[in-house]
Amino acid sequence: MSSVARARARTVAVAATDGMLHFELALASEVFGSKPDGVPGPWYEVEVCGARPVRVGRFLLEPDRGLDWLTQAGTVIVPALADVDADPPADLVEALRAAHASGARVVSLCTGVFALAAAGLLDGLRATTHWAHTDALAARFPRIEVDPDVLYVDNGRVLTSAGKAAAMDLCLHLIRLDHGSAVANAVARRLVVPPHRAGGQAQFVTTPVPEQDDHPLAALLPWIMERLDQPLTVEDLARHANLSSRHLGRQFRAATGTTPLQWLLTQRIRRAQELLEKTDESVDSIAAASGMGTATTLRRHFHRTVGVPPDAYRRTFRS
């Protein structure tokens, strides 16, 4: 990769326009604009881009660059739009099309998805937004496969998130893709937020991930994490938790928004990512250590979940 390409890859352009919500705009600026202590190498350069001074909540913001500068960025982030019934500004829509055509990774936070949809960047793809607006998104843009039950959707170069906290999850996901799990965890630690919530997790769960000592899963989850290299069934988990398999499934869905097996698979993939980043172990060894059994099984699940094969993932972080 040339020096110009490397500089572009770490440039984040936050596209600003009147009526954007300041939470998501400030979130993107904070996550990508502040390098955590102890992280080697260059960090992101963040530029707020807009056609003119923009009204964000009660504040008037003077952009760093014009919207035409989006084509110079490696990642373009569109914060939430307050009025989802109005058409997004035409200049923003055109700038997003140009940025995508130039090779940028285009990301929407919450209702910023309506700008990506208006630009046609989501046609034929899965996407999400805040659960309160998924019906409106599906009705206005029928060519999009709207998923109301996930935190974020990664289509490679076009990514969308649900609202508020899910926007943070997607930003940390981007850092994990660019810099690895250790750096993403360092950023999460600085921001005092959970280091990882999988994109497929439900937007709303009835109770938080258990912290109480008397919660049925409080002792079970650490027990599982210590045994990821072992074959585990739902019956094994239920037996250790002294629950029926059906009751265990209900407790998992309420606490994590997903099933026991899907949660277990997510943890195994995360373990494999860490080992690929930090060790020289073979894919076969990592498959065994993460409980995936064989390299073939690991490659299948890893590619489907992360988007690239394990070997390509390792090369990315070793480079």
Side-chain angles (χ1 to χ4, degrees):
M1 183 184 294
S2 69
S3 59
V4 173
R6 284 194 295 270
R8 179 180 180 180
R10 64 175 182 264
T11 300
V12 175
V14 181
T17 189
D18 282 338
M20 284 191 163
L21 300 179
H22 46 64
F23 178 86
E24 285 81 3
L25 192 150
L27 183 153
S29 299
E30 173 64 23
V31 171
F32 296 102
S34 300
K35 182 179 179 179
D37 293 338
V39 174
W43 192 241
Y44 301 97
E45 297 290 338
V46 178
E47 303 281 357
V48 177
C49 302
R52 61 194 66 85
V54 296
R55 179 68 62 180
V56 181
R58 295 184 299 166
F59 307 101
L60 188 65
L61 178 67
E62 183 71 43
D64 303 310
R65 307 270 188 171
L67 285 175
D68 58 344
W69 200 80
L70 298 187
T71 59
Q72 307 300 308
T75 300
V76 173
I77 295 181
V78 184
L81 300 169
D83 187 358
V84 300
D85 295 323
D87 291 333
D91 54 359
L92 173 61
V93 171
E94 289 301 320
L96 292 176
R97 288 186 184 131
H100 184 263
S102 75
R105 178 172 61 181
V106 183
V107 180
S108 67
L109 305 181
C110 193
T111 52
V113 70
F114 284 86
L116 273 62
L121 304 187
L122 293 168
D123 289 353
L125 299 178
R126 282 177 65 236
T128 195
T129 188
H130 191 290
W131 58 265
H133 302 292
T134 50
D135 288 345
L137 181 66
R140 283 175 58 187
F141 301 99
R143 297 185 63 184
I144 301 174
E145 181 188 346
V146 179
D147 191 338
D149 296 322
V150 295
L151 296 177
Y152 56 83
V153 176
D154 182 348
N155 289 301
R157 284 185 48 227
V158 183
L159 303 91
T160 58
S161 85
K164 304 304 178 186
M168 176 71 78
D169 293 315
L170 179 52
C171 289
L172 289 173
H173 172 69
L174 293 172
I175 293 175
R176 188 172 296 106
L177 292 176
D178 295 343
H179 297 279
S181 297
V183 173
N185 291 346
V187 174
R189 189 162 53 250
R190 179 175 61 82
L191 297 171
V192 198
V193 297
H196 179 75
R197 292 197 299 169
Q201 182 171 317
Q203 290 193 28
F204 178 79
V205 294
T206 55
T207 59
V209 175
E211 295 180 356
Q212 314 98 302
D213 291 340
D214 59 347
H215 192 282
L217 303 187
L220 178 62
L221 299 189
W223 182 84
I224 296 172
M225 295 301 294
E226 293 173 357
R227 293 164 176 79
L228 287 180
D229 61 331
Q230 302 176 20
L232 296 172
T233 65
V234 173
E235 290 72 24
D236 293 330
L237 308 188
R239 190 179 306 112
H240 183 77
N242 293 318
L243 300 172
S244 69
S245 297
R246 181 172 295 181
H247 191 197
L248 177 73
R250 287 197 295 267
Q251 291 289 342
F252 255 89
R253 177 64 68 178
T256 70
T258 190
T259 66
L261 288 182
Q262 186 57 52
W263 185 88
L264 178 59
L265 177 61
T266 298
Q267 306 316 309
R268 293 183 194 265
I269 294 295
R270 287 185 62 196
R271 176 67 54 82
Q273 287 178 289
E274 293 173 359
L275 293 172
L276 287 165
E277 293 170 22
K278 297 179 179 178
T279 75
D280 294 317
E281 295 291 326
S282 68
V283 174
D284 291 278
S285 297
I286 290 174
S290 60
M292 304 298 283
T294 67
T296 300
T297 301
L298 173 60
R299 287 190 173 97
R300 182 174 69 251
H301 287 293
F302 196 95
H303 198 170
R304 186 179 64 195
T305 303
V306 181
V308 296
D311 301 288
Y313 184 87
R314 169 175 273 167
R315 285 195 299 270
T316 296
F317 290 103
R318 291 303 170 89
S319 64

